[in-house]
C-alpha cells in the first residue's frame, strides 16, 4: 500500500475498523511515521471518550403523566376481544422468564464486547501517546528485532519486527529487571510485520527489558530464555 494511502487509515485504525492485514500494514507504517503517531494519539483519546459516553438523557418528569392521560382518554374506544382459548398463566410466566433470560444473556454479551472494544481503543491511545512523545528515548534491540521506546516519565513500549503469533497455548510475556528478579510487564500475542506493545510497568534507567514465551495467562517468573533483551537508556 502506498504511503499516502496509509496516512489516510489513521482514523479507521483508531476506531478499530481495519481488517487484520491492513491493521498490520498500518502498524508497520506507524512505527516510522511521527505525524501519524501524533494524529493517532489524539484520535484514539477522542474515540475512547465517545465509546464510554453512551448514557442517554433522562426523560422529562412530565412525560409519564402525559402518556397516562392520553391512555385514559382513549380507553373508551378500545373493545376487548374474548379469545376462544386462553394461554395458561404458568405458560405465560415460563415464556416471559425465558425471554428475560435471553435478553439478559444478550445484554451481558454485548456489554462484554463493548468493554473489550473500549479497552482496545484505550490501549491504542496509550501506545500512540508513548510513541508520539517528543522527548522519548529509543534503543535498538540487538539483531534488528525492533526498538525500545521510553518516555521521560518512564513509560515504555516495544516496537517488535516480524514477530510470529505465539504458539498455541502460549503467550509472549515482557519483563523488566533492575538489580533483582525480573518483574512481569504484560503479555501479548504477537503476529504481523510490526507489533506494538505497551509495558505495564515503568522502565527505570539502566534496567533490562526482556521478552519470553510463556504459558497462556503469563507467569510470575520467566521459565524460558529471553529472545529479546535490551537495556533501557540512561539519561546523560
Amino acid at each position: 500500500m502506498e504511503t499516502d494511502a496509509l496516512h489516510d487509515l489513521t482514523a479507521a485504525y483508531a476506531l478499530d475498523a481495519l481488517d487484520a492485514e491492513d491493521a498490520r500494514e498500518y502498524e508497520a507504517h506507524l512505527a516510522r511515521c511521527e505525524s501519524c503517531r501524533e494524529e493517532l494519539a489524539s484520535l484514539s483519546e477522542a474515540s475512547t471518550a465517545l465509546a464510554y459516553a453512551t448514557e442517554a438523557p433522562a426523560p422529562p418528569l412530565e412525560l409519564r403523566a402525559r402518556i397516562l392521560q392520553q391512555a385514559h382518554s382513549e380507553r373508551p374506544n378500545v373493545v376487548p376481544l374474548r379469545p376462544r382459548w386462553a394461554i395458561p398463566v404458568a405458560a405465560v410466566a415460563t415464556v416471559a422468564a425465558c425471554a428475560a433470560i435471553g435478553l439478559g444473556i444478550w445484554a451481558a454479551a454485548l456489554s462484554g464486547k463493548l468493554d473489550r472494544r473500549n479497552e482496545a481503543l484505550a490501549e491504542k491511545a496509550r501506545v500512540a501517546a508513548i510513541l508520539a512523545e517528543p522527548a522519548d528515548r529509543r534503543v535498538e534491540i540487538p539483531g534488528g528485532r525492533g526498538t525500545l521506546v521510553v518516555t521521560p516519565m518512564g513509560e515504555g513500549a516495544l516496537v517488535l519486527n516480524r514477530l510470529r503469533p505465539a504458539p498455541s497455548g502460549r503467550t509472549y510475556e515482557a519483563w523488566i529487571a533492575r538489580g533483582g528478579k525480573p518483574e512481569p510487564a504484560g503479555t501479548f500475542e504477537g503476529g504481523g510485520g510490526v507489533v506494538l506493545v505497551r509495558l505495564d510497568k515503568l522502565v527505570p534507567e539502566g534496567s533490562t527489558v526482556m521478552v519470553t514465551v510463556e504459558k497462556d495467562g503469563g507467569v510470575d517468573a520467566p521459565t524460558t530464555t529471553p529472545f529479546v533483551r535490551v537495556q533501557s537508556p540512561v539519561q546523560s
Side-chain angles (χ1 to χ4, degrees), residues 48 52 91 104 116 120 155 163 181 191 195 216:
T48 302
Y52 283 102
R116 289 190 297 273
E155 296 174 308
L163 183 63
K181 72 174 185 178
V195 178
D216 270 346

Side-chain angles (χ1 to χ4, degrees), residues 20-215:
E21 183 177 352
D22 285 344
R24 286 194 296 268
E25 192 169 354
Y26 178 81
E27 287 173 349
H29 165 76
L30 185 69
R32 58 181 182 270
C33 180
E34 183 176 354
S35 62
C36 281
R37 291 197 297 267
E38 292 174 352
E39 184 181 5
L40 178 62
S42 60
L43 287 176
S44 296
E45 289 170 0
S47 61
T48 302
L50 289 174
Y52 283 102
T54 56
E55 278 195 33
L61 296 177
E62 65 274 11
L63 178 61
R64 180 175 182 275
R66 291 206 306 269
I67 293 174
L68 291 175
Q69 182 178 5
Q70 184 68 24
H72 283 301
S73 65
E74 294 182 359
R75 182 169 296 176
N77 299 326
V78 177
V79 178
L81 298 177
R82 296 184 178 274
R84 296 181 180 180
W85 50 272
I87 302 176
V89 173
V92 174
T94 301
V95 172
C98 291
I101 293 172
L103 286 173
I105 294 172
W106 173 81
L110 179 59
S111 176
K113 184 176 181 180
L114 288 174
D115 287 344
R116 289 190 297 273
R117 179 182 176 85
N118 292 342
E119 179 56 32
L121 292 175
E123 184 65 13
K124 287 181 179 180
R126 290 190 284 264
V127 173
I130 292 173
L131 297 180
E133 170 59 51
D136 61 21
R137 290 161 288 160
R138 300 179 177 228
V139 180
E140 295 298 316
I141 299 173
R145 290 189 174 273
T147 307
L148 169 65
V149 183
V150 183
T151 71
M153 300 297 294
E155 296 174 308
L158 290 169
V159 181
L160 301 175
N161 299 327
R162 300 180 300 278
L163 183 63
R164 294 180 179 179
S168 177
R170 311 283 282 177
T171 187
Y172 295 115
E173 186 160 10
W175 306 89
I176 298 174
R178 187 185 184 190
K181 72 174 185 178
E183 297 184 4
T187 60
F188 56 99
E189 298 306 314
V194 175
V195 178
L196 307 178
V197 181
R198 183 183 65 88
L199 299 173
D200 289 350
K201 294 184 180 296
L202 295 179
V203 183
E205 292 185 1
S207 60
T208 301
V209 177
M210 301 174 289
V211 179
T212 61
V213 179
E214 306 294 349
K215 66 179 182 180

